[in-house]
mmCIF file of all heavy atoms in Angstrom:
data_model
loop_
_atom_site.group_PDB
_atom_site.id
_atom_site.type_symbol
_atom_site.label_atom_id
_atom_site.label_comp_id
_atom_site.label_asym_id
_atom_site.label_seq_id
_atom_site.Cartn_x
_atom_site.Cartn_y
_atom_site.Cartn_z
ATOM 1 N N GLY O 96 -42.212 6.676 -71.301
ATOM 2 C CA GLY O 96 -42.984 5.776 -70.456
ATOM 3 C C GLY O 96 -42.904 4.386 -71.038
ATOM 4 O O GLY O 96 -41.874 3.975 -71.560
ATOM 5 N N VAL O 97 -43.980 3.682 -71.021
ATOM 6 C CA VAL O 97 -44.033 2.330 -71.572
ATOM 7 C C VAL O 97 -44.499 2.461 -73.012
ATOM 8 O O VAL O 97 -45.646 2.812 -73.261
ATOM 9 C CB VAL O 97 -44.974 1.442 -70.748
ATOM 10 C CG1 VAL O 97 -45.008 0.036 -71.305
ATOM 11 C CG2 VAL O 97 -44.534 1.439 -69.292
ATOM 12 N N THR O 103 -50.780 5.005 -70.183
ATOM 13 C CA THR O 103 -49.747 4.666 -69.209
ATOM 14 C C THR O 103 -49.602 5.711 -68.112
ATOM 15 O O THR O 103 -49.124 5.408 -67.047
ATOM 16 C CB THR O 103 -48.376 4.488 -69.885
ATOM 17 O OG1 THR O 103 -47.992 5.728 -70.476
ATOM 18 C CG2 THR O 103 -48.411 3.380 -70.905
ATOM 19 N N MET O 104 -49.955 6.944 -68.371
ATOM 20 C CA MET O 104 -49.862 8.018 -67.375
ATOM 21 C C MET O 104 -48.463 8.107 -66.776
ATOM 22 O O MET O 104 -48.289 8.379 -65.588
ATOM 23 C CB MET O 104 -50.919 7.834 -66.281
ATOM 24 C CG MET O 104 -52.340 7.948 -66.805
ATOM 25 S SD MET O 104 -53.611 7.601 -65.569
ATOM 26 C CE MET O 104 -53.423 8.999 -64.500
ATOM 27 N N PHE O 105 -47.429 7.867 -67.601
ATOM 28 C CA PHE O 105 -46.057 7.947 -67.092
ATOM 29 C C PHE O 105 -45.763 9.369 -66.644
ATOM 30 O O PHE O 105 -46.125 10.331 -67.307
ATOM 31 C CB PHE O 105 -45.045 7.517 -68.164
ATOM 32 C CG PHE O 105 -43.634 7.463 -67.642
ATOM 33 C CD1 PHE O 105 -43.231 6.402 -66.842
ATOM 34 C CD2 PHE O 105 -42.741 8.473 -67.916
ATOM 35 C CE1 PHE O 105 -41.939 6.349 -66.341
ATOM 36 C CE2 PHE O 105 -41.447 8.432 -67.427
ATOM 37 C CZ PHE O 105 -41.051 7.363 -66.639
ATOM 38 N N GLY O 106 -45.102 9.488 -65.496
ATOM 39 C CA GLY O 106 -44.859 10.781 -64.888
ATOM 40 C C GLY O 106 -45.829 11.059 -63.755
ATOM 41 O O GLY O 106 -45.884 12.157 -63.211
ATOM 42 N N TRP O 107 -46.598 10.024 -63.377
ATOM 43 C CA TRP O 107 -47.554 10.167 -62.263
ATOM 44 C C TRP O 107 -46.830 10.741 -61.049
ATOM 45 O O TRP O 107 -47.303 11.651 -60.410
ATOM 46 C CB TRP O 107 -48.181 8.811 -61.945
ATOM 47 C CG TRP O 107 -49.133 8.886 -60.802
ATOM 48 C CD1 TRP O 107 -48.883 8.564 -59.505
ATOM 49 C CD2 TRP O 107 -50.487 9.336 -60.851
ATOM 50 N NE1 TRP O 107 -49.991 8.775 -58.737
ATOM 51 C CE2 TRP O 107 -50.996 9.256 -59.550
ATOM 52 C CE3 TRP O 107 -51.314 9.797 -61.869
ATOM 53 C CZ2 TRP O 107 -52.300 9.615 -59.227
ATOM 54 C CZ3 TRP O 107 -52.610 10.158 -61.551
ATOM 55 C CH2 TRP O 107 -53.092 10.062 -60.248
ATOM 56 N N ASP O 108 -45.654 10.188 -60.739
ATOM 57 C CA ASP O 108 -44.789 10.756 -59.716
ATOM 58 C C ASP O 108 -43.366 10.703 -60.261
ATOM 59 O O ASP O 108 -43.035 9.836 -61.071
ATOM 60 C CB ASP O 108 -44.889 9.978 -58.397
ATOM 61 C CG ASP O 108 -44.331 10.760 -57.203
ATOM 62 O OD1 ASP O 108 -44.092 11.979 -57.341
ATOM 63 O OD2 ASP O 108 -44.138 10.164 -56.134
ATOM 64 N N VAL O 109 -42.542 11.637 -59.853
ATOM 65 C CA VAL O 109 -41.146 11.701 -60.283
ATOM 66 C C VAL O 109 -40.275 12.029 -59.081
ATOM 67 O O VAL O 109 -40.731 12.609 -58.103
ATOM 68 C CB VAL O 109 -40.920 12.749 -61.403
ATOM 69 C CG1 VAL O 109 -41.614 12.324 -62.689
ATOM 70 C CG2 VAL O 109 -41.391 14.124 -60.979
ATOM 71 N N THR O 110 -38.997 11.627 -59.174
ATOM 72 C CA THR O 110 -38.041 11.896 -58.100
ATOM 73 C C THR O 110 -36.646 11.956 -58.715
ATOM 74 O O THR O 110 -36.425 11.439 -59.810
ATOM 75 C CB THR O 110 -38.123 10.804 -57.002
ATOM 76 O OG1 THR O 110 -37.211 11.112 -55.944
ATOM 77 C CG2 THR O 110 -37.822 9.421 -57.543
ATOM 78 N N ALA O 119 -36.300 9.038 -61.583
ATOM 79 C CA ALA O 119 -37.266 7.943 -61.714
ATOM 80 C C ALA O 119 -38.639 8.546 -61.950
ATOM 81 O O ALA O 119 -38.936 9.651 -61.493
ATOM 82 C CB ALA O 119 -37.265 7.071 -60.460
ATOM 83 N N GLY O 120 -39.449 7.800 -62.668
ATOM 84 C CA GLY O 120 -40.833 8.189 -62.900
ATOM 85 C C GLY O 120 -41.723 6.971 -62.770
ATOM 86 O O GLY O 120 -41.295 5.847 -63.029
ATOM 87 N N SER O 121 -42.947 7.213 -62.348
ATOM 88 C CA SER O 121 -43.879 6.096 -62.222
ATOM 89 C C SER O 121 -45.024 6.264 -63.206
ATOM 90 O O SER O 121 -45.360 7.366 -63.623
ATOM 91 C CB SER O 121 -44.420 5.984 -60.794
ATOM 92 O OG SER O 121 -45.180 7.129 -60.450
ATOM 93 N N SER O 122 -45.580 5.136 -63.571
ATOM 94 C CA SER O 122 -46.732 5.075 -64.458
ATOM 95 C C SER O 122 -47.858 4.481 -63.646
ATOM 96 O O SER O 122 -47.724 3.369 -63.131
ATOM 97 C CB SER O 122 -46.392 4.179 -65.645
ATOM 98 O OG SER O 122 -47.523 3.956 -66.429
ATOM 99 N N ARG O 123 -48.916 5.199 -63.494
ATOM 100 C CA ARG O 123 -49.978 4.726 -62.612
ATOM 101 C C ARG O 123 -50.622 3.450 -63.131
ATOM 102 O O ARG O 123 -50.978 2.575 -62.380
ATOM 103 C CB ARG O 123 -51.025 5.808 -62.424
ATOM 104 C CG ARG O 123 -52.069 5.392 -61.422
ATOM 105 C CD ARG O 123 -52.567 6.542 -60.610
ATOM 106 N NE ARG O 123 -53.538 6.098 -59.642
ATOM 107 C CZ ARG O 123 -54.777 6.521 -59.600
ATOM 108 N NH1 ARG O 123 -55.198 7.422 -60.445
ATOM 109 N NH2 ARG O 123 -55.589 6.059 -58.692
ATOM 110 N N GLU O 124 -50.781 3.349 -64.439
ATOM 111 C CA GLU O 124 -51.388 2.145 -64.984
ATOM 112 C C GLU O 124 -50.768 1.827 -66.340
ATOM 113 O O GLU O 124 -50.494 2.723 -67.114
ATOM 114 C CB GLU O 124 -52.891 2.317 -65.147
ATOM 115 C CG GLU O 124 -53.596 2.585 -63.831
ATOM 116 C CD GLU O 124 -55.069 2.839 -64.017
ATOM 117 O OE1 GLU O 124 -55.818 1.858 -64.138
ATOM 118 O OE2 GLU O 124 -55.453 4.006 -64.043
ATOM 119 N N THR O 134 -48.759 -1.439 -62.859
ATOM 120 C CA THR O 134 -48.081 -0.161 -62.729
ATOM 121 C C THR O 134 -46.576 -0.360 -62.769
ATOM 122 O O THR O 134 -46.073 -1.436 -62.472
ATOM 123 C CB THR O 134 -48.513 0.533 -61.438
ATOM 124 O OG1 THR O 134 -48.428 -0.396 -60.370
ATOM 125 C CG2 THR O 134 -49.940 1.018 -61.536
ATOM 126 N N VAL O 135 -45.869 0.686 -63.165
ATOM 127 C CA VAL O 135 -44.446 0.576 -63.468
ATOM 128 C C VAL O 135 -43.687 1.762 -62.894
ATOM 129 O O VAL O 135 -44.183 2.878 -62.900
ATOM 130 C CB VAL O 135 -44.251 0.534 -65.008
ATOM 131 C CG1 VAL O 135 -42.790 0.633 -65.388
ATOM 132 C CG2 VAL O 135 -44.862 -0.709 -65.603
ATOM 133 N N VAL O 136 -42.465 1.505 -62.428
ATOM 134 C CA VAL O 136 -41.523 2.557 -62.060
ATOM 135 C C VAL O 136 -40.293 2.368 -62.943
ATOM 136 O O VAL O 136 -39.761 1.268 -63.037
ATOM 137 C CB VAL O 136 -41.122 2.472 -60.568
ATOM 138 C CG1 VAL O 136 -40.025 3.476 -60.244
ATOM 139 C CG2 VAL O 136 -42.332 2.693 -59.673
ATOM 140 N N LYS O 137 -39.871 3.435 -63.620
ATOM 141 C CA LYS O 137 -38.679 3.376 -64.470
ATOM 142 C C LYS O 137 -37.629 4.329 -63.912
ATOM 143 O O LYS O 137 -37.953 5.437 -63.502
ATOM 144 C CB LYS O 137 -39.021 3.747 -65.913
ATOM 145 C CG LYS O 137 -39.919 2.712 -66.601
ATOM 146 C CD LYS O 137 -40.225 3.084 -68.023
ATOM 147 C CE LYS O 137 -39.111 2.618 -68.922
ATOM 148 N NZ LYS O 137 -39.426 2.822 -70.354
ATOM 149 N N ILE O 138 -36.370 3.882 -63.937
ATOM 150 C CA ILE O 138 -35.258 4.665 -63.391
ATOM 151 C C ILE O 138 -34.262 4.921 -64.515
ATOM 152 O O ILE O 138 -33.934 4.013 -65.289
ATOM 153 C CB ILE O 138 -34.608 3.926 -62.211
ATOM 154 C CG1 ILE O 138 -35.672 3.656 -61.131
ATOM 155 C CG2 ILE O 138 -33.468 4.747 -61.618
ATOM 156 C CD1 ILE O 138 -35.591 2.339 -60.491
ATOM 157 N N PHE O 139 -33.798 6.158 -64.598
ATOM 158 C CA PHE O 139 -32.885 6.573 -65.667
ATOM 159 C C PHE O 139 -31.665 7.250 -65.073
ATOM 160 O O PHE O 139 -31.734 7.872 -64.012
ATOM 161 C CB PHE O 139 -33.570 7.579 -66.606
ATOM 162 C CG PHE O 139 -34.770 7.029 -67.319
ATOM 163 C CD1 PHE O 139 -36.032 7.134 -66.754
ATOM 164 C CD2 PHE O 139 -34.645 6.422 -68.555
ATOM 165 C CE1 PHE O 139 -37.146 6.646 -67.412
ATOM 166 C CE2 PHE O 139 -35.753 5.932 -69.224
ATOM 167 C CZ PHE O 139 -37.008 6.039 -68.642
ATOM 168 N N LEU O 158 -39.427 -1.439 -62.550
ATOM 169 C CA LEU O 158 -39.978 -2.220 -61.453
ATOM 170 C C LEU O 158 -41.478 -2.320 -61.681
ATOM 171 O O LEU O 158 -42.142 -1.316 -61.920
ATOM 172 C CB LEU O 158 -39.686 -1.528 -60.119
ATOM 173 C CG LEU O 158 -38.218 -1.153 -59.887
ATOM 174 C CD1 LEU O 158 -38.069 -0.300 -58.637
ATOM 175 C CD2 LEU O 158 -37.352 -2.391 -59.794
ATOM 176 N N GLY O 165 -51.660 -0.261 -57.334
ATOM 177 C CA GLY O 165 -51.261 1.130 -57.142
ATOM 178 C C GLY O 165 -49.769 1.310 -56.956
ATOM 179 O O GLY O 165 -49.311 2.332 -56.446
ATOM 180 N N PHE O 166 -48.980 0.325 -57.363
ATOM 181 C CA PHE O 166 -47.522 0.365 -57.232
ATOM 182 C C PHE O 166 -46.977 1.595 -57.953
ATOM 183 O O PHE O 166 -47.327 1.847 -59.105
ATOM 184 C CB PHE O 166 -46.940 -0.904 -57.843
ATOM 185 C CG PHE O 166 -45.448 -1.059 -57.721
ATOM 186 C CD1 PHE O 166 -44.887 -1.543 -56.557
ATOM 187 C CD2 PHE O 166 -44.615 -0.752 -58.779
ATOM 188 C CE1 PHE O 166 -43.521 -1.721 -56.446
ATOM 189 C CE2 PHE O 166 -43.246 -0.924 -58.694
ATOM 190 C CZ PHE O 166 -42.701 -1.403 -57.521
ATOM 191 N N GLY O 167 -46.147 2.383 -57.270
ATOM 192 C CA GLY O 167 -45.585 3.577 -57.886
ATOM 193 C C GLY O 167 -46.439 4.808 -57.686
ATOM 194 O O GLY O 167 -46.176 5.847 -58.270
ATOM 195 N N TYR O 168 -47.479 4.689 -56.853
ATOM 196 C CA TYR O 168 -48.309 5.859 -56.574
ATOM 197 C C TYR O 168 -47.438 6.992 -56.047
ATOM 198 O O TYR O 168 -47.663 8.153 -56.336
ATOM 199 C CB TYR O 168 -49.411 5.499 -55.574
ATOM 200 C CG TYR O 168 -50.490 6.542 -55.522
ATOM 201 C CD1 TYR O 168 -51.566 6.482 -56.408
ATOM 202 C CD2 TYR O 168 -50.433 7.588 -54.618
ATOM 203 C CE1 TYR O 168 -52.555 7.444 -56.391
ATOM 204 C CE2 TYR O 168 -51.415 8.560 -54.605
ATOM 205 C CZ TYR O 168 -52.473 8.486 -55.487
ATOM 206 O OH TYR O 168 -53.443 9.449 -55.473
ATOM 207 N N SER O 169 -46.395 6.612 -55.283
ATOM 208 C CA SER O 169 -45.407 7.580 -54.812
ATOM 209 C C SER O 169 -44.033 6.931 -54.887
ATOM 210 O O SER O 169 -43.906 5.719 -54.721
ATOM 211 C CB SER O 169 -45.713 8.003 -53.369
ATOM 212 O OG SER O 169 -45.709 6.877 -52.509
ATOM 213 N N ILE O 170 -43.005 7.744 -55.176
ATOM 214 C CA ILE O 170 -41.637 7.232 -55.265
ATOM 215 C C ILE O 170 -40.674 8.256 -54.694
ATOM 216 O O ILE O 170 -40.952 9.454 -54.697
ATOM 217 C CB ILE O 170 -41.241 6.886 -56.727
ATOM 218 C CG1 ILE O 170 -41.429 8.083 -57.655
ATOM 219 C CG2 ILE O 170 -42.007 5.677 -57.220
ATOM 220 C CD1 ILE O 170 -40.996 7.846 -59.100
ATOM 221 N N ILE O 179 -34.361 3.307 -53.919
ATOM 222 C CA ILE O 179 -35.656 3.923 -54.207
ATOM 223 C C ILE O 179 -36.731 3.299 -53.333
ATOM 224 O O ILE O 179 -36.755 2.079 -53.115
ATOM 225 C CB ILE O 179 -36.030 3.795 -55.711
ATOM 226 C CG1 ILE O 179 -37.277 4.623 -56.016
ATOM 227 C CG2 ILE O 179 -36.164 2.350 -56.138
ATOM 228 C CD1 ILE O 179 -37.557 4.814 -57.496
ATOM 229 N N VAL O 181 -40.809 2.810 -53.066
ATOM 230 C CA VAL O 181 -41.967 2.809 -53.953
ATOM 231 C C VAL O 181 -43.216 2.563 -53.117
ATOM 232 O O VAL O 181 -43.362 1.509 -52.497
ATOM 233 C CB VAL O 181 -41.832 1.718 -55.043
ATOM 234 C CG1 VAL O 181 -43.047 1.728 -55.960
ATOM 235 C CG2 VAL O 181 -40.552 1.907 -55.846
ATOM 236 N N GLY O 182 -44.105 3.552 -53.088
ATOM 237 C CA GLY O 182 -45.364 3.432 -52.367
ATOM 238 C C GLY O 182 -46.429 2.804 -53.234
ATOM 239 O O GLY O 182 -46.453 2.991 -54.453
#
Side-chain angles (χ1 to χ4, degrees):
V97 181
T103 63
M104 296 175 69
F105 185 76
W107 179 262
D108 197 13
V109 293
T110 182
S121 64
S122 172
R123 185 145 181 240
E124 299 176 82
T134 48
V135 171
V136 174
K137 292 181 84 174
I138 302 140
F139 298 90
L158 308 172
F166 183 82
Y168 195 87
S169 59
I170 56 177
I179 188 167
V181 180

